[in-house]
Amino acid sequence: MTLYDKLLNLPLLQGLSYDDLSDVVAHSKFNFIKRGRDETIVAEGAPASHLIFVLRGSVMVSHRAADGSYSVMEELNGPLMLGLDRLFGFEQTHSGEIRSLTNCSLLMLSKPDVLQLADKYFIVRINIMNRLATNAQKLEATVWQRYPDTILHRMQCFFRIHCLYPAGRKVVRIKMQVLADEVHESRIKVSRQLNSWQRSGLIVLGRERIEIPRLDALLQLKDDD
């Protein structure tokens, strides 16, 4: 796949023609950078001044609870776009950390260049609005959905709503009692559920650590499984 093909597959630029993309590359300041394994790409709390495109490689995106009682790390693979929700709005800082897991090829596009592209190309404006609207609709759906009535569904809900993508590898650092409080269940019932998942190979338990190799597999479980 050529560089142009990779760029045309990015959410911001989907729908542009090759001629339009050539014009974009010629007149926008595309900052292509590389990061080695285990390097910080964005620190938590850093100003959100650029859109981040992972063209190749894998990254780990980490978020913490407001009180610091737990954190969720998720492995994401390129190509993908990060940071759009933080580029605008009241809080224009990154809410979590982004680190490279492998050698990564990245594209950083500054906010002024994003606005320039949106002003010049209607399809870019549509792409931005679609992404922001979709994220807002997902959040609204989460707020108004019926609270799960079984421990399985409550624990699935906890993991799902704390992740950017409902699939792939996740690592949750949390105390058993904190998780029990979050899902409104007793510690012993939460422990039994986690140990059942571990016996089935769905998770790997450690000290205050839950590794989920495939969140999508965990979310597919039914109460009678």
Side-chain angles (χ1 to χ4, degrees), residues 16-131:
L16 284 179
S17 67
Y18 269 85
D19 289 340
D20 286 339
L21 182 59
S22 298
D23 184 63
V24 168
V25 172
H27 296 93
S28 299
K29 297 177 182 178
F30 280 19
N31 185 16
F32 293 96
I33 61 175
K34 293 185 180 296
R35 288 288 183 267
R37 294 171 58 91
D38 196 30
E39 290 189 32
T40 299
I41 297 172
V42 168
E44 180 182 355
S49 57
H50 290 73
L51 266 184
I52 303 165
F53 299 94
V54 181
L55 301 178
R56 181 178 59 83
S58 300
V59 297
M60 183 71 83
V61 180
S62 306
H63 289 90
R64 294 187 299 168
D67 61 1
S69 60
Y70 60 89
S71 64
V72 176
M73 298 176 288
E74 49 187 317
E75 182 176 335
L76 304 175
N77 302 310
L80 71 144
M81 177 176 69
L82 298 169
L84 180 63
D85 291 351
R86 291 285 167 163
L87 205 61
F88 307 97
F90 181 71
E91 290 287 345
Q92 295 183 21
T93 57
H94 288 281
S95 58
E97 180 188 57
I98 305 173
R99 295 187 68 84
S100 58
L101 284 176
T102 64
N103 293 331
C104 291
S105 297
L106 309 170
L107 166 61
M108 312 289 279
L109 191 61
S110 71
K111 183 175 179 178
D113 281 324
V114 172
L115 293 174
Q116 183 180 20
L117 288 175
D119 182 60
K120 186 171 184 179
Y121 298 101
F122 176 73
I123 189 62
V124 173
R125 294 200 297 275
I126 291 296
N127 289 339
I128 290 174
M129 288 190 291
N130 278 339
R131 177 56 66 94

Side-chain angles (χ1 to χ4, degrees), residues 162-182:
H162 287 90
C163 293
L164 295 175
Y165 294 92
R169 177 173 174 262
K170 320 293 178 183
V171 178
V172 183
R173 296 190 178 275
I174 190 170
K175 294 181 178 179
M176 192 78 70
Q177 187 59 58
V178 173
L179 179 56
D181 292 341
E182 288 290 325

